[in-house]
Amino acid sequence: MKRKLLIVIWDMALGGIQKRVRDLILEINTNQPDWEIHLLLKFEEPAYFLDSLADCKNLHLHFYKKNREQLGRSLPLAWIIQPFFSIKPDVCLTFLEHLSISMVIVKHLMRWRKDSRLVLNEGILTSTYLGLNKDILGWKPYAFLIKIFYRFSNLIIVPTKEVKEDLVFSFKVPSNKIKVISNWTLFPPKSADKKRYDLIYVTRYEREKNPKLFLEIIDNLKKKLPNIKGCLVGEGSLKKELVQFVKDHKLDKNVKILDFQANTQAFLLDSKIFVITSKNEGMPNVVLEAGISSLPTVSTNFRGSNEVIIQGKTGYILKDGSVTEFTHYCFELLKNDVKRKKMGQAAQRHIVQNFSYNTQQKFIKYLLKV
């Protein structure tokens, strides 16, 4: 009889969490045939990564709603309780505070499922995330609930030491409940000589990711490099605002703003420098993908950035993340091809050694106890 893994997530839209879910399902389906995988999505759409899972014979999909507009006044836990009751998972994996808190409550409501392991994956710095989204989420109630409920999980997997320390010191989560396992990329190590873009940023077009700063950097670099080329790849609520910025600052010939691309690595290989302007991250998958594609990264100084970027060797972590500072380091790399390529090669070696397939296997080992 097969054991059952239940993965609970909002949707399979664009994001690092969704990429890791896809990777986990594909790997477990192929190499752990004695496991039955159940993916419970609160929203069926958007679903960028579901097509790649179509051939997974051990995967069962469960949808609660077609999209967010259909949610209405549903009971907060209703969409989780029934699937949990009917599936009876041996292991359950959830992500971020809302789903993690909900699943802890559901698991304790179903006390007869004491043998069911609950694993939380906290992929971002929780205190900063709540602070940036407090108008939507209500910072204090969620912080209070995290302090109460996270300790009742069996295991919490985090990508960096900074995320672990944040949970321990900000939310009083017991240290022995938390395991640091880095994120990973399964992109093959590649490089390319011909480049169409000078700078690239792959992200969600949301305030937390600060994509407007990328455009401001291009605008500033244009004063020194009139033919500077940049590329934004992603999706999100700020797209119209970004398009208007390009129009207002006459950057039409300097910047391309693209929607989600299935083959992200093709765009990375077509670029010289990866830029990340985010206000908050855990361990961004896009930095791993850029590194394995031989791109150095110029990044804001988010907590944990030094756990993935080696300062001065695989990229630059900026002190204040200002337009001026970004412009300085990007210009330096663009004017020195030898240095830029050397840093890109070092980034690729760093990612291959520390953030690839073996890291994914470690995650699965702790998740399934195999």
Side-chain angles (χ1 to χ4, degrees):
M1 187 174 179
K2 289 188 176 183
R3 302 184 70 189
K4 297 178 181 179
L5 167 65
L6 172 62
I7 301 175
V8 184
I9 191 171
W10 287 104
D11 54 42
M12 287 298 280
L14 180 65
I17 292 175
Q18 286 83 354
K19 287 181 182 178
R20 292 194 296 279
V21 168
R22 175 202 59 193
D23 291 347
L24 289 170
I25 291 173
L26 289 171
E27 179 65 20
I28 293 170
N29 179 76
T30 301
N31 293 319
Q32 301 290 340
D34 55 332
W35 280 85
E36 186 176 284
I37 310 162
H38 294 263
L39 178 60
L40 172 60
L41 302 175
K42 190 164 190 178
F43 307 110
E44 184 176 353
E45 297 176 351
Y48 295 113
F49 296 110
L50 282 186
D51 287 346
S52 60
L53 302 176
D55 295 329
C56 293
K57 296 180 180 179
N58 292 326
L59 173 64
H60 303 266
L61 293 173
H62 308 268
F63 303 110
Y64 180 63
K65 292 291 182 182
K66 187 75 174 176
N67 52 48
R68 284 167 172 75
E69 286 68 32
Q70 293 182 341
L71 187 56
R73 297 182 178 180
S74 304
L75 293 174
L77 300 180
W79 71 285
I80 296 178
I81 292 176
Q82 192 279 328
F84 187 88
F85 183 85
S86 60
I87 295 168
K88 299 180 177 63
D90 296 281
V91 177
C92 183
L93 173 65
T94 64
F95 303 85
L96 295 178
E97 82 298 325
H98 181 88
L99 295 179
S100 296
I101 293 167
S102 298
M103 187 50 70
V104 172
I105 295 172
V106 168
K107 185 175 182 294
H108 279 75
L109 287 174
M110 307 293 186
R111 290 188 175 276
W112 51 272
R113 290 297 300 168
K114 289 181 180 180
D115 57 337
S116 180
R117 291 182 68 243
L118 176 56
V119 180
L120 316 183
N121 185 209
E122 195 78 358
I124 201 164
L125 203 74
T126 311
S127 60
T128 306
Y129 174 78
L130 291 178
L132 289 171
N133 294 278
K134 62 183 178 181
D135 293 337
I136 301 172
L137 302 174
W139 189 89
K140 290 183 178 179
Y142 275 108
F144 177 72
L145 291 172
I146 289 171
K147 288 180 181 179
I148 292 177
F149 290 110
Y150 269 38
R151 65 183 59 246
F152 293 109
S153 63
N154 296 97
L155 177 67
I156 303 171
I157 299 176
V158 299
T160 67
K161 296 175 184 176
E162 286 284 352
V163 176
K164 178 176 180 176
E165 290 179 6
D166 185 54
L167 288 175
V168 172
F169 293 107
S170 300
F171 302 97
K172 311 304 178 188
V173 178
S175 177
N176 62 356
K177 288 273 185 178
I178 306 171
K179 180 70 178 178
V180 178
I181 303 177
S182 303
N183 292 343
W184 63 84
T185 178
L186 301 181
F187 280 3
K190 288 185 179 182
S191 59
D193 292 327
K194 293 183 179 180
K195 307 286 186 179
R196 189 188 319 179
Y197 305 109
D198 297 300
L199 309 182
I200 187 170
Y201 186 22
V202 182
T203 187
R204 288 182 289 111
Y205 301 150
E206 303 295 345
R207 300 289 177 194
E208 188 175 359
K209 301 299 181 180
N210 203 14
K212 185 180 176 182
L213 177 56
F214 179 84
L215 300 181
E216 292 171 349
I217 296 164
I218 297 288
D219 192 34
N220 208 31
L221 277 168
K222 188 181 176 183
K223 299 170 186 176
K224 297 181 179 182
L225 303 169
N227 295 318
I228 185 80
K229 301 291 183 184
C231 183
L232 266 175
V233 180
E235 63 155 15
S237 62
L238 297 181
K239 185 177 180 181
K240 288 184 179 179
E241 182 180 321
L242 299 174
V243 171
Q244 188 62 46
F245 184 97
V246 169
K247 183 178 179 181
D248 292 344
H249 291 78
K250 298 180 173 56
L251 296 174
D252 305 73
K253 294 181 180 180
N254 301 97
V255 180
K256 276 194 175 182
I257 299 178
L258 304 176
D259 293 328
F260 169 79
Q261 303 294 316
N263 187 5
T264 306
Q265 191 171 28
F267 288 86
L268 292 170
L269 291 168
D270 212 10
S271 306
K272 296 178 181 178
I273 302 169
F274 188 79
V275 174
I276 181 166
T277 60
S278 182
K279 298 176 181 178
N280 183 39
E281 290 287 350
M283 178 175 282
N285 281 67
V286 287
V287 172
L288 310 182
E289 293 167 355
I292 210 162
S293 304
S294 301
L295 271 70
T297 294
V298 181
S299 173
T300 48
N301 189 19
F302 60 86
R303 285 175 59 185
S305 56
N306 62 346
E307 295 183 52
V308 63
I309 301 167
I310 303 175
Q311 181 73 320
K313 292 186 178 180
T314 69
Y316 291 112
I317 302 168
L318 307 186
K319 292 180 180 179
D320 58 28
S322 64
V323 174
T324 301
E325 195 178 14
F326 265 108
T327 301
H328 170 78
Y329 283 102
C330 289
F331 182 76
E332 177 184 318
L333 289 175
L334 289 173
K335 297 303 288 184
N336 191 333
D337 285 347
V338 173
K339 183 176 184 178
R340 175 176 55 79
K341 290 178 180 179
K342 184 177 180 180
M343 292 181 75
Q345 292 166 357
Q348 186 178 83
R349 290 193 298 270
H350 181 53
I351 301 305
V352 169
Q353 290 170 8
N354 299 286
F355 308 100
S356 53
Y357 182 74
N358 289 339
T359 309
Q360 183 203 45
Q361 294 305 297
K362 185 176 180 181
F363 188 105
I364 292 173
K365 175 184 176 181
Y366 279 90
L367 173 65
L368 303 181
K369 279 193 169 182
V370 293

